[in-house]
Amino acid sequence: MDGNGRWAKKRGLPRVAGHREGAEAVRRTLKAAVVAGVECLTLYAFSSENWRRSEEEVTDLKGLMRFYLERELDELAREGVKLRFIGEPSAFGPELWERLQLAAAKTADNDKLTLNVALNYGSQQEIARAAQILAQEAVDGVIDSAAIDVAAVEKVLQTAELPPLDLLVRTSGEMRLSNFLLWQAAYAELVFLDLLWPDFDADAFNGALDQFAGRQRRFGGR
Ligand code: FPP
């Protein structure tokens, strides 16, 4: 969800105004995803590297998450959205962490759309952690290290319960993955949009789906 800061700067507003508008874009996107019948949507809301931002901005982002969680949770639950998280959100402190866990528990039985929010998430960190888990299992004799294969790694990634990643969209014109779902993106279709995240809407979402539909997926075959 890139480009909130630039959106605000263009208007002479503080960065938090861009994040606020970005949260409205989350609302629109979620609605469009439900209408389109998307099974799972993962949003990159806070990266492991975002701690380098000013304390004020981090506090603003935490505040926004708390606010939206409170405002939207009942509706999300009613709409059949299952909320879950990847990353290490416990680093946001016990108060927010507890709210996030309660929200996940409250929506755990929903099955219309899984909204997976990446919070304090870094893909390299996730893969390193997976290696640690497998190494420990090998040391404990639970698995044979020679038998560690792609499926074994996938089972210990935080996305283990999610469907394969089909489409990855990045806004704001940047053409990088920035430590987002690196393993999972192995065969994903990539769409880069020259649009700041706060300007993202149902049309942009459906446009990305159209691009996806027009791609030929071969998964290494021919
Ligand atoms: C990247 O834009 C955006 C973020 C680091 C924060 C995204 C968070 C939200 C949209 C808040 C609400 C989230 C939820 C799940 C309700 P940037 O600040 O890097 O923009 P820039 O590159 O233009 O500076």
Side-chain angles (χ1 to χ4, degrees):
M1 299 191 284
D2 199 13
N4 295 350
R6 276 163 284 172
W7 184 93
K9 195 171 175 198
K10 263 171 62 178
R11 289 163 177 76
L13 296 169
R15 293 181 63 82
V16 66
H19 295 315
R20 228 176 266 136
E21 204 52 38
E24 293 304 323
V26 168
R27 230 171 170 259
R28 295 194 289 270
T29 305
L30 192 56
K31 283 207 168 133
V34 169
V35 170
V38 166
E39 189 183 345
C40 176
L41 176 72
T42 297
L43 297 174
Y44 204 1
F46 196 96
S47 80
S48 317
E49 291 71 35
N50 284 154
W51 295 108
R52 292 186 200 135
R53 304 219 166 171
S54 70
E55 205 183 315
E56 186 192 357
E57 188 172 350
V58 172
T59 304
D60 283 342
L61 280 169
K62 280 167 60 176
L64 258 179
M65 285 174 216
R66 194 178 308 118
F67 175 75
Y68 274 89
L69 207 55
E70 218 157 273
R71 200 183 78 172
E72 308 287 339
L73 183 58
D74 285 346
E75 193 182 338
L76 289 176
R78 259 199 321 274
E79 293 284 329
V81 172
K82 176 178 180 162
L83 194 58
R84 64 192 303 294
F85 307 95
I86 54 171
E88 302 298 335
S90 59
F92 289 128
E95 204 222 318
L96 184 52
W97 177 219
E98 198 166 303
R99 282 171 196 256
L100 293 169
Q101 285 176 297
L102 283 173
K106 183 175 165 133
T107 59
D109 294 332
N110 286 347
D111 59 6
K112 193 156 181 192
L113 176 144
T114 299
L115 175 61
N116 182 39
V117 188
L119 290 172
N120 188 22
Y121 174 82
S123 186
Q124 291 176 327
Q125 290 83 340
E126 178 193 26
I127 294 167
R129 178 76 190 124
Q132 251 178 33
I133 295 170
L134 292 172
Q136 191 60 52
E137 286 180 4
V139 167
D140 295 344
V142 181
I143 57 166
D144 172 4
S145 66
I148 295 174
D149 56 9
V150 170
V153 175
E154 282 181 343
K155 250 194 262 171
V156 290
L157 290 174
Q158 291 190 307
T159 50
E161 286 159 31
L162 302 179
L165 179 63
D166 289 319
L167 168 65
L168 191 153
V169 180
R170 181 171 187 156
T171 54
S172 93
E174 308 285 357
M175 307 252 236
R176 307 185 277 279
L177 297 185
S178 298
N179 210 11
F180 186 54
L181 300 178
L182 303 178
W183 172 286
Q184 295 84 347
Y187 285 101
E189 295 297 328
L190 308 182
V191 169
F192 295 98
L193 298 178
D194 209 355
L195 181 80
L196 302 175
W197 174 254
D199 294 325
F200 196 81
D201 58 10
D203 282 350
F205 186 76
N206 292 323
L209 291 186
D210 286 346
Q211 284 201 48
F212 174 78
R215 304 268 177 95
Q216 263 197 31
R217 307 188 78 199
R218 287 189 291 275
F219 300 95
R222 40 168 305 162

